[in-house]
Amino acid sequence: MEIQKNFFETLKSKLPSHISLAHEVSDLLNISVDSAYRRIRGEKELSISELSTLCEHYDISVDAILNHRSNNIIFKKLYHQKNDLDEYYLYTKDVTERLELISTLSGPKEMYYLAREIPFFHLTPYPELALFRVFVCYQMNSKNDVSYDEFLDGIDRKKIMDYYHRMLLSYNKIPSKEIWVRDTADATLQLLEYYYELNMFRTPDTCLLLCNQLLQMINNIEKWAETGSKGDKSNISYKMYLSLICLENSFMMTKWGDITSTTINVFVINGVTTSNESFCTKAEKWFNGIVERSLYISKSSKLERFKFFQEIRTKIRDLVKKIKNE
């Protein structure tokens, strides 16, 4: 019954504090509240059918529950495989709702982000820039050359910006630690230059708009790093580190209560995620090891912080100058 008790502890951690686990289980399994309590306490075994129903509703892998001591690690995909905008909306909705759940849970919570490229949350206030990254993913999976502007014409801006707005609100409620490297912003700049040279923008002004949004975003992140918080009136902690070690890829780890989840970035905007305790423990140890070898540029190290962000601004302005001179 140890597995069953741990399973219900996991379910409980996924619920807002004002929602009763017993009543949720009762409703989902169509049983009495007393019967639900007996299952939660481990006095009665869950049937395979009941376990499947709960796992499907709470988006938990049955394999992860039944094989909790095996050497296998279960990952869940967080990506869309087709160039289908309806599928991308569902993907964005899923990511948004997961983040909203974490942000509303009571108790301590924290997000760690090892940023090989700019974390997507920072892009969300800038719709054209955020959708440029989606466009890049679309291009890499498509055999058709569609311009950035044509891609935007097919987007339901109202729907996607609602998700981005909710995503940002939730992200801003979660204390964060981010590790950047000197070239974290380079991938975005290189892609902007690449697609500009391919004439994938209707006019140069479109690319200039994206450069301007990137500059605004960098200035905003610098303010966060300077104050150590997410916004002028916010008390939500934002700790930024500069690593001199080359990072292989981006990954994000979220912690709330006793639950930890690790997401590894793949294919530009996509990812795979796991809550495997052993893997997450090792990932956290690795992250903290990099923190110890990195320069803390939030609040302190004023000169290094200025030089880091000024270097990024110079690269952006160089691209702007190139576009305007052609």
Side-chain angles (χ1 to χ4, degrees):
M1 287 294 186
E2 178 189 352
I3 296 177
Q4 185 166 311
K5 288 180 180 178
N6 291 338
F7 172 66
F8 279 114
E9 283 298 318
T10 300
L11 294 193
K12 186 176 180 180
S13 70
K14 289 178 170 285
L15 295 175
S17 57
H18 66 279
I19 293 180
S20 164
L21 175 60
H23 285 87
E24 280 276 298
V25 172
S26 171
D27 291 341
L28 288 169
L29 301 184
N30 196 25
I31 58 178
S32 69
V33 175
D34 285 342
S35 295
Y37 272 118
R38 286 197 293 272
R39 286 163 174 78
I40 293 170
R41 291 193 295 262
E43 297 170 2
K44 180 175 176 56
E45 281 192 3
L46 284 169
S47 68
I48 294 297
S49 175
E50 290 172 338
L51 178 62
S52 175
T53 298
L54 293 172
C55 284
E56 182 177 353
H57 181 79
Y58 290 104
D59 199 20
I60 297 174
S61 167
V62 175
D63 289 341
I65 299 300
L66 299 181
N67 296 300
H68 72 301
R69 289 181 178 171
S70 77
N71 289 324
N72 297 324
I73 298 175
I74 308 298
F75 282 87
K76 179 185 176 180
K77 67 177 184 178
L78 287 176
Y79 60 91
H80 63 293
Q81 295 174 297
K82 304 174 184 177
N83 290 330
D84 184 340
L85 290 177
D86 286 335
E87 191 174 307
Y88 175 69
Y89 299 142
L90 291 175
Y91 157 79
T92 307
K93 178 175 180 286
D94 182 44
V95 173
T96 300
E97 290 177 348
R98 286 170 178 272
L99 208 59
E100 285 178 332
L101 175 62
I102 295 171
S103 70
T104 56
L105 291 173
S106 60
K109 45 188 167 280
E110 190 169 25
M111 177 185 292
Y112 300 167
Y113 206 111
L114 200 155
R116 187 65 185 84
E117 60 182 354
I118 300 168
F120 191 78
F121 308 115
H122 291 300
L123 305 180
T124 53
Y126 312 96
E128 290 80 11
L129 188 59
L131 289 170
F132 174 71
R133 185 174 289 185
V134 181
F135 164 75
V136 170
C137 184
Y138 182 93
Q139 282 293 330
M140 290 182 175
N141 289 305
S142 175
K143 295 180 180 179
N144 301 319
D145 284 334
V146 177
S147 74
Y148 169 73
D149 303 87
E150 290 171 324
F151 174 76
L152 285 188
D153 290 341
I155 290 283
D156 185 336
R157 296 286 288 269
K158 185 176 184 300
K159 178 186 289 188
I160 203 66
M161 289 316 302
D162 176 63
Y163 289 141
Y164 287 171
H165 178 66
R166 288 164 54 193
M167 192 185 298
L168 180 65
L169 288 178
S170 298
Y171 168 72
N172 286 348
K173 295 176 184 177
I174 304 173
S176 302
K177 292 180 181 178
E178 290 182 4
I179 302 177
W180 286 40
V181 290
R182 296 264 178 211
D183 60 354
T184 289
D186 285 6
T188 301
L189 277 165
Q190 289 165 3
L191 287 167
L192 284 170
E193 185 172 12
Y194 173 75
Y195 284 107
Y196 170 74
E197 291 179 347
L198 286 179
N199 292 318
M200 297 299 276
F201 299 109
R202 192 167 288 160
T203 70
D205 287 343
T206 302
C207 194
L208 290 173
L209 170 66
L210 297 178
C211 290
N212 184 54
Q213 290 186 349
L214 182 60
L215 187 61
Q216 290 179 51
M217 183 202 67
I218 290 300
N219 290 339
N220 186 62
I221 297 172
E222 183 180 24
K223 289 180 181 177
W224 282 15
E226 182 180 355
T227 61
S229 61
K230 294 184 173 184
D232 295 335
K233 299 179 181 180
S234 173
N235 61 354
I236 304 299
S237 172
Y238 179 77
K239 297 180 179 180
M240 190 174 195
Y241 300 83
L242 178 60
S243 173
L244 301 178
I245 301 173
C246 181
L247 308 177
E248 294 182 2
N249 58 294
S250 297
F251 88 86
M252 178 181 74
M253 184 161 55
T254 50
K255 299 184 66 178
W256 65 99
D258 297 327
I259 306 298
T260 303
S261 175
T262 301
T263 300
I264 301 173
N265 178 254
V266 294
F267 314 143
V268 185
I269 62 170
N270 302 310
V272 290
T273 186
T274 183
S275 294
N276 180 275
E277 184 176 354
S278 175
F279 182 88
C280 290
T281 298
K282 289 182 174 63
E284 184 175 3
K285 183 177 180 181
W286 181 58
F287 184 94
N288 288 332
I290 297 178
V291 165
E292 291 175 0
R293 293 164 178 79
S294 300
L295 180 65
Y296 181 54
I297 59 173
S298 285
K299 294 187 176 182
S300 59
S301 303
K302 182 177 181 179
L303 179 60
E304 284 300 322
R305 182 175 63 248
F306 173 78
K307 287 167 60 179
F308 171 63
F309 284 103
Q310 188 65 11
E311 184 178 334
I312 299 174
R313 281 190 286 264
T314 298
K315 292 177 182 178
I316 298 172
R317 287 166 180 154
D318 285 345
L319 178 56
V320 169
K321 187 183 299 183
K322 174 182 176 179
I323 295 170
K324 287 183 174 180
N325 289 340
E326 289 187 353

